[in-house]
Amino acid sequence: MAESTPKPVSVNTADASVTIDPYGAHITSWKVGGEEIMFVSKLAKHDGSRPIRGGVPLVFPQFGPGPIKQHGFARRCYWTLKETSQDDNVATIVFTLSPNEYTLDMWPNQFLLTYTVKIQGSDITMDFTVKNTSETTYDFTCLLHTYYCLKDVKDVEIKGLTGKKYLDSLLEKKEFTETRESVTIAENVDRIYLDVEWPVSFHNGSKTVSITANVSDCVVWNPWKAKAEAMGDFADTEYFNMVCVEPGAATKAVTLPAGEEYTMTSTFTVS
Ligand code: TA6
């Protein structure tokens, strides 16, 4: 990593720690009681050459493929560290991102992004705020593309999605209804669950992870064997030890009038 490359920032409380890489304001570690909750591939790039594979990639202003780069530019830019604070109870890191040549070339809109990450006890809260600093209204989609560590993907049972409609990204976004009490994973899964009523929770092999959010979509993704082998920044067998459970506004765009602010917020709790 070049000398000038901004270094990851860590804060901790008596119970937990969080580390954020300025490249993408990307959470790369969240430990509670010394246990890592986030999954980061051992082949992930940490040199700004591509988004970090794992942790919590920030998806903005576009979820998925489309007119601009997949998942947008937020995870592909160096953000500015605004402040850090920590004591035994609470620790916070704040990053901001303003438009630059790269973002304007991709998405010709003015904005100020502020990302506040707070750890307290066994919670981590992420507040992703978009301020429309332009003179015109614009739309965007956004999501926290969270990768969680699993002891064994075969044991994971994701609860809280029963009865919810979902779009299957492997079947041209065809709509289905989840009938199972628990979503289990034994193949490539890539689904956008709609109108989710939080919390959504699962057991990672040692702790229960519970997710709440103020957004209505929840993406569940595991690449499984073939796609794992096709990703250069993901080891062939790492799909056994991760799952993405991703709160976001992925299917219905947020419309933000000039001068207004929108905040996507989510809290992950381990117990
Ligand atoms: O999380 C769902 C998804 O959109 C999948 O379709 C898959 O593409 C994944 O994101 C990873 O995308 P990335 O651009 O990070 O390789």
Side-chain angles (χ1 to χ4, degrees), residues 36-224:
E36 181 60 70
I37 308 301
M38 295 293 149
F39 167 87
V40 175
S41 172
K42 59 188 175 202
L43 301 185
K45 294 290 184 197
H46 296 273
D47 58 4
S49 60
R50 62 188 299 178
I52 299 166
R53 178 68 64 191
V56 185
L58 293 175
V59 173
F60 175 87
Q62 173 192 288
F63 170 77
I68 66 175
K69 265 194 182 304
Q70 165 134 316
H71 294 333
F73 54 70
R75 63 178 183 166
R76 297 173 180 273
C77 291
Y78 281 98
W79 289 54
T80 301
L81 178 63
K82 274 297 172 226
E83 69 171 88
T84 63
S85 67
Q86 65 181 11
D87 62 33
D88 276 357
N89 301 311
V90 185
T92 303
I93 304 179
V94 183
F95 276 96
T96 59
L97 181 69
S98 299
N100 56 51
E101 197 179 327
Y102 178 71
T103 70
L104 290 167
D105 183 45
M106 203 187 292
W107 195 66
N109 291 312
Q110 293 296 324
F111 59 83
L112 171 65
L113 301 183
T114 303
Y115 185 46
T116 303
V117 177
K118 180 178 81 170
I119 54 173
Q120 186 166 14
S122 59
D123 291 1
I124 185 168
T125 297
M126 291 132 286
D127 291 342
F128 180 87
T129 297
V130 184
K131 182 172 175 69
N132 180 344
T133 55
S134 78
E135 308 291 317
T136 54
T137 293
Y138 49 61
D139 293 349
F140 56 85
T141 49
C142 57
L143 172 132
L144 299 168
H145 194 300
T146 312
Y147 289 68
Y148 291 99
C149 276
L150 294 177
K151 285 248 181 332
D152 185 339
V153 68
K154 288 195 173 62
D155 298 336
V156 78
E157 296 183 341
I158 303 169
K159 300 189 183 302
L161 296 171
T162 311
K164 292 300 169 190
K165 290 188 169 34
Y166 66 88
L167 308 179
D168 192 328
S169 300
L170 304 177
L171 298 173
E172 280 89 48
K173 299 276 194 299
K174 189 172 171 207
E175 186 177 290
F176 297 88
T177 299
E178 184 55 71
T179 55
R180 297 172 293 175
E181 267 311 296
S182 302
V183 171
T184 55
I185 294 173
E187 59 186 347
N188 178 198
V189 171
D190 192 353
R191 301 175 181 168
I192 309 170
Y193 285 86
L194 309 174
D195 301 318
V196 171
E197 293 161 277
W198 308 95
V200 169
S201 63
F202 59 91
H203 194 68
N204 71 356
S206 65
K207 289 185 165 43
T208 296
V209 180
S210 180
I211 304 162
T212 59
N214 68 341
V215 288
S216 59
D217 296 330
C218 180
V219 174
V220 175
W221 179 62
N222 184 291
W224 213 250

